[in-house]
Amino acid sequence: MSSIKQFQVTFDCAEPERVARFWCEVLGYVVPQPPAGFATWDDFDSSLPPERQGSGFACVDPSGVGPRLYFQRVPEGKVAKNRLHLDVRVGAGLVGEERLATLEAECARLVALGAVRVRLLLADDHNESCLVMQDIEGNEFCLD
């Protein structure tokens, strides 16, 4: 049995480039280089048939460690809770007030980018505190 070496996380969305650029800011990711033969992504996009233009966009971890994120345009809007979400690990190893302060500071940064704060889940016997948020198209994620 072979092991999987890489994976990509794909988001369905209405505006792929806008959502991808939001997540670049959240995670410190970057837009990859355009395909060979194209100076820019706009050049590549304009070479596609009209119905495919603007239909996808990606961002990558500049260190090469994290997964590639791909954003694909879909016709329907988001209507239900995500079955999968990202945990943005800004408070790993922190507890109590120090963890809450770190989560709140990152929340404020992301709200300024267009994210929405949904609710704070306080620590219990099994889990540390985390903040539930939504990205610019309403996809849930957690600051953990």
Side-chain angles (χ1 to χ4, degrees), residues 18-93:
R18 179 174 173 253
V19 179
R21 290 189 184 282
F22 169 84
W23 281 102
C24 282
E25 291 295 322
V26 171
L27 301 173
Y29 271 39
V30 297
V31 175
Q33 292 297 311
F38 296 94
T40 67
W41 279 105
D42 285 339
D43 292 344
F44 172 75
D45 200 52
S46 64
S47 75
L48 299 173
E51 68 276 4
R52 290 200 46 229
Q53 291 177 4
S55 65
F57 211 81
C59 60
V60 296
D61 178 353
S63 71
V65 175
R68 178 179 190 256
L69 303 181
Y70 183 71
F71 302 84
Q72 63 186 6
R73 184 176 59 217
V74 296
E76 69 278 357
K78 183 181 174 309
V79 295
K81 184 180 185 313
N82 298 13
R83 295 290 305 229
L84 171 89
H85 69 267
L86 299 183
D87 286 342
V88 180
R89 309 290 318 270
V90 298

Side-chain angles (χ1 to χ4, degrees), residues 88-108:
V88 180
R89 309 290 318 270
V90 298
L94 302 176
V95 297
E97 293 302 317
E98 184 181 17
R99 182 181 180 88
L100 286 174
T102 299
L103 295 177
E104 292 292 352
E106 184 65 2
C107 176

